[in-house]
């Protein structure tokens, strides 16, 4: 028979092993920012952050919402994943339909999520209207005001402005690859120093420091419209200094473009019409196509 002292030692060993397992489990959840448990919401976060399976995550987020499991967080997180998959309209409808299940104090933060979703969708809608020829009442320019002065804005300038805003909106969501594509299209139509700085930031965030340096140096050398302004040159100089402090990270393409084919085709038509005379299909679209082929594999 086992002595009482041996039993105590075994129990202590089992307790120690269980404690180490619990600590390891807690560390895993902390590192991956996943709550503990076995509920639909926890499973959804695991699918989103660990398994990197957004489609499965959406299914599980729906289960969490229907089960009343952390509805507010599930709704917000699901909207983020849907947006990454270019399902913005579906995300908007989900929040509008199920926000009533969330507490009163959560309504303001849900409004902020909706504003963010609407912003990108609204910008894309305005751009679609442009390449359908449904803006400015069919005229090539419109009259605008700034600081009490009137001036004429061309369709090309308006398109480039909207693309710059869209690129910035994607940057706020850390979707730097999409932001880069959109900013490049804006620069092809109507280049300026501010959008060039934003493009430089997109490239820096992707660890593409040499590409960023080329873009920013064009501002320093006053090769881009608007680079005569000291504020633009100072911003470019700050970003160039920032590049020198970075070590290149390992290349890992993790952004999803989030631009549908119709939208890209519309932008292609615009840049073919207004951009400089180049090959029929712009290089950036060849890059997009190859990137999509890689995603499909």
């Amino acid at each position: 028979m086992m002595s009482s002292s041996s039993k105590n030692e075994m129990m202590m060993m089992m307790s120690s092993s269980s404690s180490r397992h619990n600590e390891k489990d807690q560390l895993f959840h902390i590192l991956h920012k996943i709550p503990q448990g076995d509920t639909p919401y926890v499973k959804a976060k695991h699918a989103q952050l660990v398994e990197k399976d957004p489609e499965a995550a959406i299914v599980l987020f729906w289960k969490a919402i229907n089960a009343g499991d952390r509805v507010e967080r599930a709704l917000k997180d699901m909207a983020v994943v849907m947006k990454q998959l270019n399902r913005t309209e579906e995300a908007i409808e989900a929040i509008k339909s199920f926000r009533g299940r969330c507490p009163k104090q959560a309504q303001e933060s849900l409004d902020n999520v909706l504003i963010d979703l609407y912003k990108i969708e609204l910008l894309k809608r305005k751009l679609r209207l442009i390449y359908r020829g449904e803006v400015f009442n069919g005229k090539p320019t419109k009259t605008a005001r700034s600081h009490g002065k009137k001036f004429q804005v061309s369709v090309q300038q308006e398109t480039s402005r909207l693309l710059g805003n869209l690129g910035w909106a994607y940057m706020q969501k850390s979707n730097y690859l999409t932001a880069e594509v959109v900013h490049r299209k804006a620069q092809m139509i109507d280049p300026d120093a501010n959008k060039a700085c934003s493009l430089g930031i997109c490239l820096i965030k992707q660890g593409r420091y040499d590409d960023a340096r080329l873009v920013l140096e064009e501002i320093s050398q006053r090769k881009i419209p608007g680079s005569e302004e000291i504020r633009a040159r100072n911003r470019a100089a700050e970003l160039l200094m920032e590049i020198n402090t970075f070590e290149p990270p390992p290349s890992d393409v993790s952004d999803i473009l989030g631009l549908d084919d119709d939208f890209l085709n519309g932008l292609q038509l615009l840049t073919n019409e207004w951009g400089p005379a180049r090959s029929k299909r712009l290089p950036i679209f060849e890059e997009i196509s190859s990137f999509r082929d890689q995603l499909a594999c």
Side-chain angles (χ1 to χ4, degrees):
M1 288 185 64
M2 186 180 294
S3 65
S4 60
S5 60
S6 298
K7 288 182 180 179
N8 289 336
E9 288 177 4
M10 183 173 290
M11 290 179 66
M12 289 176 64
M13 290 175 63
M14 291 174 63
S15 176
S16 176
S17 175
S18 176
S19 177
R20 284 197 299 271
H21 176 76
N22 289 336
E23 288 177 2
K24 189 175 181 180
D25 187 56
Q26 288 177 359
L27 182 61
F28 173 84
H29 285 84
I30 291 171
L31 287 174
H32 292 281
K33 299 179 180 178
I34 299 173
Q36 291 181 309
D38 193 36
T39 66
Y41 178 77
V42 173
K43 290 178 180 178
K45 294 299 290 183
H46 193 278
Q48 177 194 4
L49 300 175
V50 180
E51 298 172 8
K52 307 291 185 183
D53 188 344
E55 295 288 355
I58 288 174
V59 171
L60 289 164
F61 280 131
W62 273 124
K63 287 184 178 180
I65 292 167
N66 290 326
D69 179 19
R70 311 186 204 199
V71 176
E72 177 192 349
R73 293 175 64 180
L75 199 51
K76 290 179 183 176
D77 291 342
M78 184 175 70
V80 170
V81 177
M82 284 179 169
K83 184 177 175 183
Q84 291 171 347
L85 296 179
N86 197 36
R87 292 162 61 177
T88 306
E89 292 182 6
E90 190 177 344
I92 290 170
E93 287 305 313
I95 292 178
K96 288 168 64 177
S97 299
F98 290 90
R99 65 184 305 167
R101 298 191 183 186
C102 301
K104 186 176 180 180
Q105 58 268 29
Q107 298 305 312
E108 184 177 351
S109 62
L110 287 170
D111 283 340
N112 292 333
V113 174
L114 276 176
I115 289 169
D116 183 58
L117 291 169
Y118 274 122
K119 180 167 62 177
I120 287 180
E121 199 57 32
L122 181 60
L123 287 168
K124 290 169 70 173
R125 180 179 177 276
K126 287 184 176 181
L127 286 161
R128 288 189 180 99
L129 291 175
I130 286 177
Y131 66 67
R132 290 173 188 160
E134 299 175 8
V135 295
F136 293 7
N137 295 318
K139 298 178 181 179
T141 63
K142 73 171 182 178
T143 302
R145 290 177 179 271
S146 179
H147 304 293
K149 295 181 180 179
K150 291 183 179 180
F151 60 97
Q152 293 297 307
V153 177
S154 68
V155 176
Q156 290 95 323
Q157 289 171 325
E158 180 69 0
T159 303
S160 183
R161 183 187 72 82
L162 290 171
L163 284 170
N165 290 343
L166 180 60
W168 185 256
Y170 279 119
M171 285 174 64
Q172 302 313 298
K173 303 304 296 179
S174 301
N175 194 342
Y176 298 113
L177 182 56
T178 305
E180 178 201 345
V181 171
V182 175
H183 274 119
R184 285 194 186 279
K185 303 308 294 182
Q187 290 295 83
M188 289 177 184
I189 294 170
D190 186 37
D192 70 55
N194 288 330
K195 290 194 294 288
C197 282
S198 295
L199 176 57
I201 294 171
C202 293
L203 295 166
I204 290 170
K205 293 294 186 180
Q206 295 177 68
R208 294 163 55 192
Y209 303 121
D210 290 340
D211 291 341
R213 187 177 285 107
L214 290 173
V215 171
L216 297 169
E217 284 177 348
E218 287 189 329
I219 302 173
S220 302
Q221 297 165 10
R222 305 191 185 192
K223 293 182 178 179
I224 299 177
S227 54
E228 68 278 359
E229 294 184 10
I230 187 66
R231 187 167 56 181
R233 294 201 307 278
N234 286 343
R235 181 57 178 147
E238 290 172 3
L239 292 170
L240 285 167
M241 289 179 63
E242 190 176 328
I243 289 173
N244 295 330
T245 66
F246 283 135
E247 287 292 329
S251 58
D252 177 19
V253 180
S254 58
D255 284 311
I256 297 175
L257 283 175
L259 297 176
D260 55 86
D261 290 331
D262 289 340
F263 187 74
L264 286 171
N265 289 337
L267 293 184
Q268 180 65 40
L269 291 173
L270 289 177
T271 46
N272 281 347
E273 182 178 351
W274 298 328
R278 297 182 181 175
S279 65
K280 222 174 171 186
R281 186 168 175 81
L282 294 165
I284 187 62
F285 281 91
E286 299 297 342
E287 293 175 22
I288 294 171
S289 298
S290 63
F291 177 71
R292 283 186 165 170
D293 290 342
Q294 292 171 21
L295 285 180
C297 295

